[in-house]
Amino acid sequence: MPLRFPAAAKLAACASALIVAGAAHASAAPKFKTMHSFCRLSNGCKDGGNPAGPLVEDGKGVFYGTTYEGGKNGGGVVFALTPKGNTYAYSILYNFCSKSRCSDGTTPNGALILDTSGNLYGLVSSGGKYNDGLAFELKNTGSRWTFVPIHEFCPQSSTCPDGQFPAGGLTYQGAQSGTAYDGSAPLYGVASSGGTADEGTLFELTVVKGKA
């Protein structure tokens, strides 16, 4: 049955609206903005190099992350990107391998965990007291950041039952749903080697007053 004019006109109007909407959407090209370019300093990548893992954001719009290499000692850094108008100010919160024989760890990797008090938690895959990696906390006192190792991997060097060379960052129950980390619930992660068969471990880590 042929369409009557009012119905045909309505269809034509709808089609025109869709075409206009599609054209407007097509013209809205994504905008790309570089927040920081690593290793742009001429004195040996003091700002870090090879960022590792996704960023974590606090309630003020500050982003935190790590680099696998670079920094003052070449062992990687924890950094912050603080919004300043239309740009971001880059700052280093901690340089790894600051201590003798990199006893504070080197080569951080994976995402950081931010707790409700503003402290950060993460993993380094090498260095530490036994040179097999460690889990750490960066305590935020408001005026400075203090590095605290919360677990040293492979204290029994012959077998490493707790694992060695942790990788991939930490997580906690509720992270996927967006629940904030309270700073005391267990943290979970993986170590890529060690364990009973020397093929790695899954671990649970409970933080108690800066110790594990």
Side-chain angles (χ1 to χ4, degrees), residues 49-123:
N50 295 331
L55 300 173
V56 60
E57 183 184 12
D58 69 10
K60 298 179 180 179
V62 179
F63 292 96
Y64 301 94
T66 63
T67 69
Y68 194 77
E69 297 177 331
K72 183 178 179 180
N73 311 301
V77 304
V78 177
F79 64 83
L81 282 170
T82 305
K84 298 289 185 182
N86 295 324
T87 63
Y88 286 86
Y90 179 87
S91 59
I92 293 177
L93 307 183
Y94 191 77
N95 283 284
F96 287 97
C97 202
S98 293
K99 298 181 179 180
S100 176
R101 299 182 180 179
C102 297
S103 61
D104 56 335
T106 182
T107 59
N109 66 88
L112 296 167
I113 298 293
L114 176 70
D115 73 14
T116 52
S117 297
N119 305 308
L120 295 168
Y121 305 82
L123 296 174

Side-chain angles (χ1 to χ4, degrees), residues 112-156:
L112 296 167
I113 298 293
L114 176 70
D115 73 14
T116 52
S117 297
N119 305 308
L120 295 168
Y121 305 82
L123 296 174
V124 292
S125 58
S126 187
K129 185 176 182 179
Y130 307 106
N131 202 34
D132 290 295
L134 58 81
F136 67 88
E137 176 183 3
L138 273 182
K139 287 184 173 294
N140 183 359
T141 64
S143 59
R144 58 177 296 181
W145 294 80
T146 302
F147 177 86
V148 179
I150 55 177
H151 182 74
E152 302 273 4
F153 285 89
C154 199
Q156 299 175 357

